[in-house]
């Protein structure tokens, strides 16, 4: 498994848009961090997540690891990559994973554009 990114800070599921299958994870806590981090997964075809994580490591599984890790009944041939959260605490199947760090707070618009409920 190839590590994509890692942070020693709390993240939470901030938004999921059913119409666009877009998942946004966010780390924002003005009392603890000077910056906000948004992580976007577009065109999500499968996910299994906790509501929040105290730290976050995202790894990308190769084809054989994807087949091993996915629960039975989930099609491993879905388009995209399997992104593994914290060595198996969660999964997201999506074409890509992007992130952006800025000085925004929880009300500031996301760099990823107008996502419903994020301004």
């Amino acid at each position: 498994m190839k590590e994509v990114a890692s942070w020693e800070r709390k993240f939470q599921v901030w938004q999921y848009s059913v119409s666009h299958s877009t998942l946004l994870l966010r780390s924002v806590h003005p009392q603890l961090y000077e910056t906000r981090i948004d992580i976007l997964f577009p065109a999500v075809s499968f996910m299994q997540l906790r509501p929040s994580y105290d730290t976050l490591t995202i790894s990308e599984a190769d084809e054989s690891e994807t087949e091993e890790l996915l629960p039975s009944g989930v099609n491993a041939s879905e388009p995209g990559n399997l992104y593994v959260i914290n060595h198996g605490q969660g999964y997201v199947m999506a074409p890509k994973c992007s992130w952006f760090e800025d000085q925004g707070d929880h009300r500031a618009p996301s760099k990823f554009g107008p996502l419903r409920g994020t301004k």
Side-chain angles (χ1 to χ4, degrees), residues 2-39:
K2 179 180 91 176
E3 186 173 303
V4 175
S6 185
W7 295 272
E8 292 293 322
R9 53 193 285 172
K10 186 171 183 165
F11 279 82
Q12 65 187 76
V13 174
W14 196 260
Q15 181 190 36
Y16 178 71
S17 167
V18 174
S19 60
H20 291 97
S21 301
T22 303
L23 172 66
L24 180 69
L25 305 180
R26 181 172 275 180
S27 175
V28 60
H29 195 300
Q31 292 80 15
L32 297 177
Y33 317 122
E34 294 180 11
T35 61
R36 169 187 72 175
I37 300 173
D38 281 351
I39 303 172

Side-chain angles (χ1 to χ4, degrees), residues 5-104:
S6 185
W7 295 272
E8 292 293 322
R9 53 193 285 172
K10 186 171 183 165
F11 279 82
Q12 65 187 76
V13 174
W14 196 260
Q15 181 190 36
Y16 178 71
S17 167
V18 174
S19 60
H20 291 97
S21 301
T22 303
L23 172 66
L24 180 69
L25 305 180
R26 181 172 275 180
S27 175
V28 60
H29 195 300
Q31 292 80 15
L32 297 177
Y33 317 122
E34 294 180 11
T35 61
R36 169 187 72 175
I37 300 173
D38 281 351
I39 303 172
L40 184 76
F41 295 92
V44 172
S45 56
F46 171 79
M47 66 179 164
Q48 179 179 331
L49 297 170
R50 294 179 178 182
S52 65
Y53 297 93
D54 290 333
T55 64
L56 190 68
T57 299
I58 302 171
S59 302
E60 187 176 335
D62 65 26
E63 195 173 312
S64 64
E65 291 167 331
T66 297
E67 290 177 12
E68 280 180 36
L69 292 169
L70 285 177
S72 62
V74 175
N75 186 355
S77 65
E78 288 287 337
N81 305 306
L82 184 66
Y83 293 98
V84 180
I85 307 298
N86 292 349
H87 312 286
Q89 290 181 344
Y91 310 93
V92 179
M93 179 75 83
K96 66 180 183 174
C97 169
S98 304
W99 58 90
F100 188 77
E101 186 169 3
D102 63 17
Q103 300 294 319

